[in-house]
DNA sequence: GATAAAATTGAGCGATCGCTCAAATTGTTG
DNA sequence: CAACAATTTGAGCGATCGCTCAATTTTATC
């Protein structure tokens, strides 16, 4: 019955992801994981190898899901710039959803992990680079479609957007009203849309 | 000899700050602190109470120094907007300095700490609110000086700037070239200066 | 230099950490 | 059902965690 086994593995990984995302790597103990996965230490180690490797698998799953959602939002809009703006506005609803954490798990890991957890740190860095690449691609596409000044640098715009997303989500982790986060996301989205080549330019 | 004692306390706190900033709260053990402060556990507890309270004192010291540096940069410029832009450009040099960490310690703490460290979490939140307030004040000042459209909301601009700073510094924690961070900061600074009411508007 | 007060020491506490492995259980065959 | 393989169990390992406190050393005062 490999189906059931695989399903169980996915389910366990999802639970581990939720826990790691919420509490971070260091604050999540194996006792916590045993409880969340309803598995005894031996099974956890037989299935995932170590706490470190389980965390890395959780990171990969997180990034895969996050990238898929980004893709879904982008594909829902013909215009690349509109798609990216829609992604920002979607993040504006962070406080309304029930998530383990409003901040990006990759960023949490990037900031929390040190040299002792080098492998996991590199994984987070690599996955963030993948997100950045996706942003850059969209800005390049926007240029090819003619909605973005061809003299602008898609790489700089992509990294700027990633920094905005990181900032928005980390800011949302603060003790602030949901409306404030919505407004912040809206302001970011408007700035992005102001790049549209034929757009009427407003100050904000 | 209260002078020497106080000086020693400041020095110890500074060392603790460096360590906590670099490694985070959970990854910093008391053994690490004993080594860094050259103090035995008893002395540490007699002086600072607990690991948690020592961390909170380090947070406060960090915020005080960070606010002082912000103030210094702002005061070096007559124009509020120019001062804020200069602060962003200053952060662009993050990778060139030798710091315990490129990310803001308050943000690292905000993302790392959970309900078990509620007091420290609230401290970080409170100190971040102080930084936000300072940004908002400057945007208000910019309006009063007449270099910023009075219809814009200083609170939204201040929070947006804080999100940018958070994003810039967290992004700088990635494995990227120094030049990339400089460019990112420059782009953010240009966007901010583009708010100037009499500025000639460029796309980037 | 004697004495009291203050500060520092460091062995070691109980708890928890990540993790192992012999034993028990479960699942798969003929 | 017997026999074997695959999986899970959970007691408990050595290490480390944050922290305490009796003993010691240092400092301040006369």
């Amino acid at each position: 019955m490999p189906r059931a086994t695989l399903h169980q593995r996915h389910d366990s990984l999802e639970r581990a992801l939720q826990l790691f995302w919420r509490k971070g790597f260091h604050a999540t103990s194996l006792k916590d994981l045993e409880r969340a996965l309803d598995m005894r230490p031996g099974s956890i180690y037989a299935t995932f190898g170590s706490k470190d490797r389980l965390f890395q698998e959780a990171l990969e799953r997180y990034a895969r899901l996050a990238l898929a959602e980004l893709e879904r939002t982008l594909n829902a809009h013909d215009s690349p710039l509109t798609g990216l703006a829609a992604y920002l506005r979607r993040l504006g609803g962070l406080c309304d959803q029930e998530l383990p954490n409003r901040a990006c798990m990759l960023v949490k890991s990037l900031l929390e992990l040190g040299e002792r957890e080098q492998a996991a740190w590199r994984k987070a860095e690599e996955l963030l680079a993948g997100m950045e690449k996706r942003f850059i691609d969209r800005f390049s596409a926007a240029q090819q479609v003619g909605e973005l000044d061809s003299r602008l640098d898609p790489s700089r715009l992509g990294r700027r957007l990633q920094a905005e997303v990181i900032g928005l989500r980390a800011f949302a982790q603060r003790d602030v009203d949901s409306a404030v986060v919505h407004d912040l996301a809206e302001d970011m989205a408007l700035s992005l849309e102001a790049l549209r080549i034929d757009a009427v330019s407003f100050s904000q």
Side-chain angles (χ1 to χ4, degrees), chain A:
Chain A
M1 230 205 294
R3 267 298 173 74
T5 309
L6 262 182
H7 177 273
Q8 278 171 28
R9 195 182 196 280
H10 274 96
D11 188 63
S12 298
L13 188 55
E14 173 62 24
R15 290 171 194 269
L17 160 57
Q18 303 270 335
L19 202 56
F20 276 131
W21 187 6
R22 180 159 59 88
K23 303 189 62 171
F25 178 77
H26 287 114
T28 301
S29 74
L30 260 133
K31 291 287 173 201
D32 294 331
L33 288 166
E34 289 173 39
R35 214 174 303 121
L37 310 194
D38 190 27
M39 288 170 80
R40 263 38 65 192
S43 289
I44 296 179
Y45 279 81
T47 310
F48 297 106
S50 68
K51 184 191 175 187
D52 198 84
R53 278 203 267 163
L54 173 54
F55 182 77
Q56 289 178 52
E57 279 204 54
L59 271 186
E60 278 168 358
R61 177 176 167 82
Y62 174 86
R64 195 162 44 78
L65 295 176
L67 251 173
E69 196 193 305
L70 170 60
E71 219 64 49
R72 218 175 307 127
T73 306
L74 294 179
N75 290 338
H77 300 82
D78 290 334
S79 149
L81 286 187
T82 305
L84 291 172
Y87 180 66
L88 279 171
R89 292 199 172 89
R90 191 168 222 294
L91 291 177
L94 271 174
C95 295
D96 311 322
Q97 306 168 271
E98 189 130 358
L99 294 169
N101 207 286
R102 279 168 230 146
C104 170
M105 184 179 173
L106 302 179
V107 174
K108 278 194 71 168
S109 304
L110 193 77
L111 298 196
E112 182 192 356
L113 301 180
E115 294 176 6
R116 292 184 75 95
E117 307 88 13
Q118 215 176 20
W121 188 89
R122 288 200 177 281
K123 183 72 72 181
E125 159 61 27
E126 164 201 326
L127 295 169
L128 277 169
M131 294 285 283
E132 176 195 313
K133 189 168 185 299
R134 199 65 194 88
F135 288 148
I136 294 174
D137 283 348
R138 281 333 269 172
F139 281 114
S140 292
Q143 283 182 330
Q144 284 178 349
V145 170
E147 64 178 16
L148 180 66
D149 189 331
S150 65
R151 289 165 299 182
L152 295 178
D153 183 350
S155 294
R156 283 173 79 144
L157 291 172
R159 292 189 291 252
R160 170 86 188 269
L161 178 55
Q162 180 164 70
E164 301 254 34
V165 170
I166 290 173
L168 170 61
R169 299 192 62 172
F171 184 92
Q173 187 71 9
R174 282 190 52 195
D175 186 21
V176 289
D177 280 350
S178 166
V180 161
V181 177
H182 272 99
D183 288 350
L184 178 55
E186 179 62 24
D187 290 344
M188 288 179 171
L190 286 172
S191 290
L192 204 158
E193 287 173 333
L195 292 172
R196 190 185 301 278
I197 220 161
D198 53 352
V200 181
S201 191
F202 291 106
S203 293
Q204 182 173 327

